[in-house]
Amino acid sequence: MRGGGADGAGDPAADGSCDDGGLEGGPDADTTPLAGSAPGRDAQADDFSAPASAEQLDRAIAALRANGFTAELLDDAAAARARIKDLIPEGAGVFTGASETLRLSGIAQDIETGDRYQAIRPRVLKMDRATEFDEIRRLMATPDVLVARVAAVTETGSLVIASGSGSQLPASAGGAARAIWVVGAQKVVPDLSTALRRVEEHALPLETARAQAVYGQPSAVNRLLVLNAEPQPGRATVLLLREAIGF
């Protein structure tokens, strides 16, 4: 996967992991979102920190929409920051995944400070993991709204999320009433195999360096979630940016 927000190891509200169209081919070509391959860069030439081209962004948006996601193509992080305020009603319980994308864009600060929303992350960080773990788990798994990052988005319309502990995955998979993912342009990759390579070769080393500095321990990819489609109309929104942000 290409860069994206990362989860902080040792954080009870974080995963501790590296913080994501039709296909050409003959009659025997595999055209499933999971295993298919979209037209794209040579695998050996991938620069996982470089923004995808306009054509690749358009393919990803079209494929995401075909797979049931609400997908919007925005110019930059400032546009995503403004759009988030339009999408989330005041008073909603919002869980923000630990993410460089959300931090750098200012989205995390907007949600976690002030009284516009019921911010879940600051709340669980103050709770006792030994005595209140069940409540922490419920709060993070079933928020009104999840705002997070992905590790990669494929040009065939799948989202890939990497996690160390899995704490953010239930909300992404369906626990949140609504999910919104903010995705930098560098996270668009042709297919799932490239997405997995991006996780291991690009995002994990960057997140490990961050986790070592902040928590004194490395990161890990212990769990992977692949979302191939969204069966519930209107639940899942992908805000794909034309600029790179995050890991």
Side-chain angles (χ1 to χ4, degrees), residues 68-123:
F69 297 97
T70 299
E72 301 181 18
L73 185 58
L74 305 177
D75 284 338
D76 52 29
R81 188 176 186 178
R83 184 65 176 130
I84 287 285
K85 293 179 181 179
D86 295 334
L87 292 173
I88 305 176
E90 290 190 31
V94 185
F95 177 44
T96 44
S99 162
E100 284 295 281
T101 297
L102 300 186
R103 182 185 70 82
L104 293 170
S105 65
I107 292 171
Q109 179 181 0
D110 290 346
I111 293 173
E112 295 170 10
T113 61
D115 56 5
R116 180 182 177 90
Y117 310 111
Q118 297 180 47
I120 293 173
R121 181 177 171 78
R123 177 179 173 185

Side-chain angles (χ1 to χ4, degrees), residues 97-211:
S99 162
E100 284 295 281
T101 297
L102 300 186
R103 182 185 70 82
L104 293 170
S105 65
I107 292 171
Q109 179 181 0
D110 290 346
I111 293 173
E112 295 170 10
T113 61
D115 56 5
R116 180 182 177 90
Y117 310 111
Q118 297 180 47
I120 293 173
R121 181 177 171 78
R123 177 179 173 185
V124 301
L125 288 174
K126 297 176 182 177
M127 297 172 70
D128 188 324
R129 297 191 75 183
T131 61
E132 300 178 283
F133 181 75
D134 282 347
E135 180 64 11
I136 291 172
R137 176 175 52 81
R138 283 191 289 268
L139 285 168
M140 293 193 300
T142 59
D144 296 330
V145 182
L146 168 73
V147 180
R149 85 296 182 266
V150 301
V153 56
T154 72
E155 292 176 40
T156 52
S158 295
L159 303 178
V160 178
I161 303 169
S163 171
S165 70
S167 63
Q168 296 184 32
L169 299 188
S172 291
R178 185 168 190 182
I180 303 169
W181 295 281
V182 181
V183 186
Q186 83 280 17
K187 296 184 182 183
V188 175
V189 296
D191 47 38
L192 182 62
S193 62
T194 311
L196 299 181
R197 194 160 57 80
R198 185 181 190 281
V199 172
E200 295 292 340
E201 297 177 9
H202 180 77
L204 179 58
L206 290 174
E207 170 58 13
T208 287
R210 190 198 71 87

